[in-house]
Amino acid sequence: MRHLVRCRVFRSDICSLLFARSKLLLPTHCEVKTPRFGICATNLRMEKNNSDEQHQQSVEQTTTIKFKPEVNRVQGILDSDPSVGWEKCWEEGLTPWDLGQPTPILIQLHETGSLPKGRALVPGCGSGYDVVAIACPDRYVVGLDISEKAIKKAEQLSSLLPNANYFTFIREDFFSWRPPKLFDLIFDYTFFCAIEPQMRSDWARQVRDLLKPDGELITLIFPISDHVGGPPYKVSVANYEEVLHPMGFKAVSIANNELAVGARKGREKLGRWKRFQSQSSL
């Protein structure tokens, strides 16, 4: 029990240090934006005396999302020059998907011992908050991003943290990357929804090839909506099943993310997937 308490204090200190350093790197005119992709959900008000089940049903039935101007600017940059669009967004500090801190549900899974040990991968890691949050002596975490600017920021934020020996950041294209070792865990959040829908089968194939046969894929399925265009592109559980099932993956569990941030509540689910028949080609 005392060991568990010490671990929780250690993890809490890491998260606090990382968040503090991230604020020091922000220009004076910037604010930390909590919801990634800067969404504003509409028509989500309910009476306080409604039950949680009624609230959840009402939220899920409301599928209209109004995006903030920053998201439209990101889409414009990517449309004008897809080859360097993400890098340009980072150069301009235009990252509305950046939470500014680790994902709450991931922290909970980590602190309750619910994550696989071994080697973990976070594709599209951005500033690296999730990478650092789950890195520990029992888990070495690789943060991958196509943007050089994002990788440099992640390294700047985390280089002096006490668990720095248990993670690394690599600038590579997820779809063509061939690491020397496979992973026990892949965590995907705001990556699947950022790629064009026609690339989702390639995403699933790469996930299969990077995971150990008994490895686990954890996805935060977001944004569950009916909006047109992207990124972020709309997603559903069925979209994941469509590309993961042919790769041999089945959902171990799909649940509402009760720790979703702000307007994302009711619009994302936690999916845990295991492969039952496919073998890695690495």
Side-chain angles (χ1 to χ4, degrees):
M1 177 64 71
R2 283 181 295 177
H3 174 71
L4 180 59
V5 171
R6 286 198 299 270
C7 287
R8 286 179 176 173
V9 171
F10 176 69
R11 294 164 187 160
S12 177
D13 288 345
I14 289 174
C15 293
S16 298
L17 286 169
L18 184 59
F19 185 60
R21 294 195 69 186
S22 70
K23 290 194 293 184
L24 289 174
L25 289 176
L26 288 172
T28 56
H29 64 278
C30 289
E31 297 179 356
V32 176
K33 294 182 176 63
T34 300
R36 293 185 191 174
F37 280 115
I39 68 169
C40 293
T42 60
N43 302 324
L44 298 181
R45 295 185 178 275
M46 296 192 65
E47 296 297 329
K48 292 183 179 180
N49 61 350
N50 281 359
S51 68
D52 291 341
E53 182 178 355
Q54 290 173 325
H55 174 76
Q56 185 62 40
Q57 289 174 349
S58 176
V59 171
E60 289 182 348
Q61 289 170 0
T62 305
T63 56
T64 301
I65 290 182
K66 180 181 179 181
F67 289 103
K68 292 185 176 180
E70 291 90 340
V71 177
N72 295 329
R73 289 178 58 198
V74 168
Q75 294 171 351
I77 290 174
L78 293 172
D79 287 342
S80 63
D81 195 346
S83 63
V84 296
W86 292 112
E87 187 70 37
K88 188 172 182 180
C89 288
W90 279 99
E91 289 175 354
E92 296 185 10
L94 191 60
T95 56
W97 60 85
D98 194 324
L99 188 61
Q101 64 186 53
T103 305
I105 187 64
L106 186 63
I107 293 293
Q108 183 187 70
L109 293 174
H110 178 47
E111 292 186 343
T112 56
S114 302
L115 293 178
K117 298 177 182 179
R119 285 171 53 82
L121 172 66
V122 181
C125 68
S127 301
Y129 301 108
D130 289 338
V131 172
V132 172
I134 64 173
C136 62
D138 290 329
R139 185 181 307 107
Y140 188 83
V141 189
V142 176
L144 196 73
D145 206 287
I146 198 170
S147 167
E148 182 177 0
K149 186 72 173 180
I151 293 298
K152 287 182 177 179
K153 180 179 179 181
E155 292 174 341
Q156 187 176 3
L157 284 171
S158 62
S159 61
L160 300 179
L161 294 178
N163 63 339
N165 290 331
Y166 306 118
F167 61 81
T168 190
F169 294 102
I170 300 175
R171 179 180 178 268
E172 284 285 352
D173 183 342
F174 170 78
F175 294 96
S176 59
W177 187 48
R178 295 291 182 269
K181 297 180 180 180
L182 299 178
F183 293 92
D184 301 277
L185 167 67
I186 294 178
F187 176 67
D188 185 301
Y189 188 28
T190 68
F191 184 68
F192 183 87
C193 69
I195 62 176
E196 295 183 4
Q198 61 265 32
M199 298 177 65
R200 290 174 177 175
S201 292
D202 293 334
W203 168 88
R205 189 174 297 106
Q206 182 70 339
V207 166
R208 178 202 63 190
D209 290 347
L210 295 179
L211 269 180
K212 293 180 180 179
D214 60 345
E216 182 176 3
L217 167 67
I218 297 181
T219 60
L220 272 180
I221 300 169
F222 167 85
I224 299 173
S225 72
D226 64 354
H227 71 275
V228 176
Y233 296 95
K234 65 179 181 181
V235 301
S236 66
V237 173
N239 292 149
Y240 284 79
E241 291 174 336
E242 181 181 2
V243 296
L244 286 173
H245 282 180
M247 298 298 117
F249 287 90
K250 294 181 180 179
V252 177
S253 66
I254 300 288
N256 292 325
N257 179 15
E258 302 300 338
L259 297 181
V261 176
R264 302 171 80 111
K265 290 184 182 297
R267 298 185 177 278
E268 64 183 34
K269 296 179 181 290
L270 178 68
R272 305 190 71 156
W273 313 79
K274 297 278 288 186
R275 191 173 64 208
F276 290 92
Q277 63 189 46
S278 295
Q279 299 295 318
S280 174
S281 63
L282 259 184

